[in-house]
Amino acid sequence: MENTDIHVHFPAGAVGKDGPSAGVTIVAVLVSIFTGRCVRSDVAMTGELTLRGLVLPVGGIKEKVLAAHRAGIKKVIIPKRNEKDLVEVPQNIQKDIEFSLAKRLEDVLQQAFEGGFPSLKDATATISQNSKL
């Protein structure tokens, strides 16, 4: 894909509050295309994404988790800052689902792909080290 350009267009008519929560999912799909690896079929995810890779909180966590449970999803990736919203999810649903809390895009990719991305762990460590300088 070295000589391939990707253009993703989101029409202006889209509902503003619905689009941002798909940020991590859209990037996971693009990573899947570029790497030829499939996102795990038992994982659902939500989260707004900044240009610097931070995963921001979104609304509707209870509804999204209930929908994932109805679909038979076993793992849900949500923004770390939405952890407090899990108290709204019934206990019987919580026990059936593994929750992964993401602060950065790297966290999402490690959980969304089988075996994660070992090279991202090294890159994340370097980013953390450089941000302390």
Side-chain angles (χ1 to χ4, degrees):
M1 298 196 70
E2 196 170 303
N3 294 321
T4 303
D5 291 331
I6 301 292
H7 172 82
V8 181
H9 177 72
F10 297 99
V15 178
K17 71 176 198 161
D18 289 341
S21 64
V24 296
T25 307
I26 292 165
V27 172
V29 168
L30 291 171
V31 169
S32 175
I33 291 168
F34 293 140
T35 63
R37 295 177 61 194
C38 293
V39 174
R40 291 175 43 180
S41 62
D42 63 340
V43 172
M45 63 190 86
T46 188
E48 186 172 348
L49 191 63
T50 70
L51 292 175
R52 295 186 178 262
L54 297 176
V55 178
L56 302 179
V58 295
I61 292 296
K62 176 184 175 185
E63 293 78 9
K64 292 171 183 175
V65 169
L66 293 176
H69 185 262
R70 278 193 307 274
I73 298 296
K74 299 297 179 195
K75 182 176 203 157
V76 176
I77 304 168
I78 65 170
K80 169 75 172 147
R81 289 170 51 190
N82 280 115
E83 183 175 19
K84 63 182 177 4
D85 298 316
L86 291 177
V87 298
E88 298 175 12
V89 178
Q91 286 295 320
N92 64 317
I93 304 293
Q94 285 190 38
K95 70 177 178 54
D96 290 342
I97 295 178
E98 176 188 347
F99 292 95
S100 179
L101 305 173
K103 291 182 181 179
R104 298 194 47 81
L105 174 61
E106 293 89 339
D107 302 330
V108 173
L109 298 178
Q110 293 295 1
Q111 296 298 317
F113 289 86
E114 195 68 48
F117 285 89
S119 60
L120 277 180
K121 290 178 186 174
D122 297 335
T124 304
T126 303
I127 290 168
S128 294
Q129 232 173 13
N130 289 340
S131 66
K132 292 177 185 175
L133 299 176

